[in-house]
Every structure is written in structure tokens, then in C-alpha cells.
Amino acid sequence: MSSAAAYAMAGPDAAFEKVTIERRALGPHDVLIDIAYAGICHSDIHTARNEWGGAGYPCVPGHEIAGTVAAIGPAVSRHQVGDRVGVGCMVDSCGVCETCLQEEEQYCLRGAVMTYNSRVSEEVQPGGHTLGGYATQIVVTENFVLGIPEGIELSVAAPLLCAGITVYSPLRHWGARPGKRVAVIGMGGLGHMAVKIAAALGAEVTVLSHSLSKQDDGKRFGAQHYYATSDKQVFRELRSHFDLIINTVSADLPINDYMKLLRLDGTLVVLGLPEQPLAVQPKVLAGRRRSLSGSMIGGIAQTQEMLNFCAAHGIGAEIEVISADEIDGAYERVVASDVRYRFVIDTATI
Ligand code: NAP
Ligand code: ZN
């Protein structure tokens, strides 16, 4: 076993504090990573504050991890010491079920092991639940370690490991490409990556935001159109307009108003996960053969494809680098939608 420094919450209302954690001894296929940067995803906040229930404490969030390989187990073939690597939301899956065999490990039928807050044996993670990337080091089995291509700084690559893949996967699945009209609801961490990636895929991109305050940024990221949803006229103007709508907002939205913005055979994909059920009117679905769907991160192979795509197109996240003692304040700003567009912790400050 080895020790690492980390930032943890002791309970749902606690402040972050520096702790020492243990990582397992390197198994044959394990990679020890020196973490350089860890992004702050809104899911970290939902989990650490136990808003989704089932949180284990101490809680060390962080599933947007970028760093370099410090050591490898004797059977590791995919990575070498010194490689620039990343870890996203998952650190293992069964590998043999139907969905794992389709390289969709995030939908593992036995349950993927998430990077933090998954119940595991003491051998996998001392303490019995996984501890994430707000730490100096992590040990991950080689198949769940991604290569970060040259040409992307580690700091702007870190958020790609969750925000990037979470939007890339549905954009690819539902075919964002030239001739397709894609709308992105909410331009935060996920949303700004959706704008950049959808634009790079050649789609015509529209942002549907609370207000026009981030309009200039949206255009800079590649959106052709930008609307404030506080203006109800927008919903009349854009009726039956989009092929694909990516909803990154976790608050309850008037879902039927947004569904009506889909043209024939259009799909609205839910990424944010509010607690309340969605009350969709059947006639809104039937009226244009519309679909409502959801998507969860992306498989490991597709995550590597996304990293390569972003490197080839010069895409990184827009970030604000913070030190570890600023995490509590950063959480407040994320909750207040006051982030442009991802906080990234410099783990050298832990
Ligand atoms: P974020 O950075 O906080 O962005 C969310 C954006 O939603 C905000 O920037 C804001 O955009 C908009 N928004 C916030 N509150 C709103 C409200 N009350 N009404 C309308 N719009 C509101 O969060 P994130 O990290 O992108 O994550 C977004 C959600 O996706 C979270 O719930 C997270 O847990 C979830 N998530 C899901 C997956 C998955 O695999 N499905 C993966 C990662 C995260 P505007 O200011 O532009 O309106
Ligand atoms: Zn995330």
C-alpha cells in the first residue's frame, strides 16, 4: 500500500479538509498515477453533499483526473512510466457482460465501479469505498486508464474525462453532423463542451441558456445561435426546429416546452438528473414522432476516441485553476452557475 494526500468531506455538511488516504499495492495490471489536475464536476457536489443518497465518508470526489504514470504493475502493457494519462468516472467493470463486451462499460450489467463512492473490498480500496481524484495519487487498473494525446495541456484535458465524454457520446450516438440542428440547454461544464464538440462535428449549434450573459462565449465556442429561455417568445420561434437537444441542466425544466422544439424524429437527451419524474405529454411525443432519452458518460474506447478527437480539433475545456483550499468556495460558485466553465484543482497544492 502507499499513502496519498487528499481533500475529503467527513460528512454531507462538512467543509473539505486535508487527509491522508491509502491506495492499494500495485497489482499486476495496476497503474499508479501522479495526479496533476482534477476537475470539479457538478456530480461531485451532488455526491459529496449526499444529494443522491448513499454517500460514504470520508468522501474524496474527483472523476476528471489528469496526470502522469508513476509506476506500473509487472503485467501492464498499455501504459508506461511517464505517460500522460487520464481517469474518468469509472475505474472497473465486470468486462464480460453483454454491455461490457459492446465497449459500453458504463452500463455494465453488474454495475461499473465508479471512481469515487462505489462500495469495494478493502483490497481494492482501503476503507471499503472508492476515493477519487482530489488527491495526489490514484491506483487504477490499466484498461480504465486513458492516454492523453500530446497537444492538450493536462489542465484543460482533465474536464474532458467526464464533461467531454458525457456530451461526446450522445452527440455521436444521435449523429450530430453537418445539416443537423443541435441545441444545448445550459452552458456550464457539460454544456460548454457540448457546444465545442457539436460545432467541431459540423452541426448547427444553438445554446438555450437562462440569460444572454454568456452569449459572446457561446459564439466563441462555436454556437451559431444563442437564446435566453427567460424570453417565452423563444419557444414559439424555435418550435419543431431541432434534430437533437442535449439537456445538461439538473433543475426541473418545463419538459414539454422543450420537447416541442424537436422536429420530426428529433430526440431530447437528458444528461442532468433531477429527482422529480418528467411529466411528458404523450401527444407531444406522438405529434412529431419525437423521442426522449438519456445518456450516461461513455465507454472507455469512446472516451479515448473523444480525447483523440479533441486533440485533433484543438479542443480543451475552459477552466479556472484553483488550489485545494478553495474547493468549498468553488462548490458554492458552481451551484450558483457562476463558473466559466470548469474549476480544476491543481493537486500540487494538496
Ligand atoms: P454546471 O457546470 O453547474 O452546469 C449546469 C448549467 O445548467 C448551468 O451552467 C446553467 O447554465 C444551467 N442551470 C443551472 N441551474 C439552472 C436552473 N435552476 N434552471 C435552468 N438552468 C440551470 O453542471 P455540470 O457539471 O455541467 O453538470 C450538469 C448536470 O449533469 C449535473 O446534474 C451533473 O450531475 C450531471 N452529469 C451527468 C452526467 C451523465 O453521465 N449523465 C455526467 C456528468 C454530469 P445557463 O447559465 O447557461 O442556463
Ligand atoms: Zn462528472
Side-chain angles (χ1 to χ4, degrees):
M1 286 204 301
S2 59
S3 295
Y7 263 65
M9 269 171 71
D13 303 317
F16 273 94
E17 57 187 3
K18 186 172 175 174
V19 296
T20 300
I21 60 171
E22 300 300 323
R23 296 300 193 185
R24 67 174 180 262
L26 283 193
H29 286 281
D30 280 340
V31 175
L32 175 67
I33 299 168
D34 281 334
I35 300 172
Y37 296 98
I40 294 179
C41 176
H42 208 126
S43 301
D44 298 356
I45 303 174
H46 292 310
T47 304
R49 294 182 173 176
N50 204 22
E51 291 165 3
W52 286 339
Y57 295 94
C59 175
V60 179
H63 57 206
E64 295 185 336
I65 298 169
T68 51
V69 175
I72 56 174
V76 169
S77 60
R78 295 167 67 114
H79 307 284
Q80 293 180 357
V81 172
D83 282 359
R84 290 152 35 91
V85 292
V87 177
C89 301
M90 300 176 282
V91 287
D92 211 351
S93 73
C94 84
V96 294
C97 74
E98 182 181 294
T99 53
C100 282
L101 293 175
Q102 290 171 43
E103 300 189 318
E104 302 270 22
E105 300 88 354
Q106 73 279 27
Y107 304 120
C108 174
L109 296 177
R110 290 177 197 152
V113 181
M114 307 315 280
T115 305
Y116 58 80
N117 204 44
S118 268
R119 304 274 156 227
V120 289
S121 68
E122 290 282 335
E123 291 74 52
V124 172
Q125 174 60 59
H129 63 266
T130 53
L131 302 173
Y134 298 3
T136 53
Q137 291 189 316
I138 191 168
V139 174
V140 179
T141 190
E142 63 172 326
N143 289 347
F144 285 76
V145 177
L146 288 307
I148 296 181
E150 292 301 324
I152 318 186
E153 292 288 324
L154 291 180
S155 57
V156 302
L160 301 179
L161 276 305
C162 172
I165 184 58
T166 300
V167 298
Y168 182 84
S169 187
L171 287 168
R172 291 304 304 266
H173 186 80
W174 279 280
R177 59 180 182 271
K180 295 288 180 185
R181 295 183 193 144
V182 174
V184 177
I185 313 176
M187 203 173 75
L190 267 57
H192 92 288
M193 291 309 311
V195 173
K196 288 188 176 201
I197 293 173
L201 288 167
E204 181 183 329
V205 183
T206 299
V207 177
L208 303 174
S209 180
H210 274 97
S211 72
L212 296 178
S213 64
K214 296 178 273 192
Q215 178 168 222
D216 291 346
D217 289 346
K219 297 275 173 79
R220 185 162 54 85
F221 302 154
Q224 276 102 324
H225 316 284
Y226 201 105
Y227 292 92
T229 51
S230 51
D231 175 4
K232 294 305 163 207
Q233 169 62 23
V234 165
F235 290 90
R236 285 187 285 277
E237 190 180 328
L238 297 176
R239 207 172 170 117
S240 302
H241 186 72
F242 297 108
D243 297 290
L244 179 63
I245 301 177
I246 302 287
N247 178 13
T248 73
V249 176
S250 56
D252 295 316
L253 295 179
I255 190 68
N256 291 296
D257 291 351
Y258 286 94
M259 291 298 295
K260 288 177 190 167
L261 304 185
L262 292 170
R263 72 206 292 193
L264 181 66
D265 287 327
T267 302
L268 186 148
V269 182
V270 171
L271 299 180
L273 306 169
E275 284 300 302
Q276 293 304 313
L278 295 169
V280 182
Q281 286 171 350
K283 67 182 180 198
V284 173
L285 293 176
R288 296 274 187 286
R289 206 160 55 197
R290 297 171 171 122
S291 300
L292 174 63
S293 192
S295 184
M296 215 182 83
I297 48 175
I300 291 296
Q302 194 175 45
T303 304
Q304 189 63 61
E305 177 188 306
M306 176 275 309
L307 288 167
N308 298 346
F309 176 89
C310 287
H313 289 82
I315 294 174
E318 304 289 314
I319 60 166
E320 194 175 321
V321 178
I322 60 166
S323 57
D325 59 5
E326 296 176 304
I327 299 171
D328 292 309
Y331 272 28
E332 293 307 320
R333 285 185 51 198
V334 172
V335 170
S337 295
D338 176 25
V339 50
R340 306 229 167 153
Y341 284 83
R342 208 48 147 185
F343 288 111
V344 172
I345 303 161
D346 177 353
T347 58
T349 62
I350 292 180

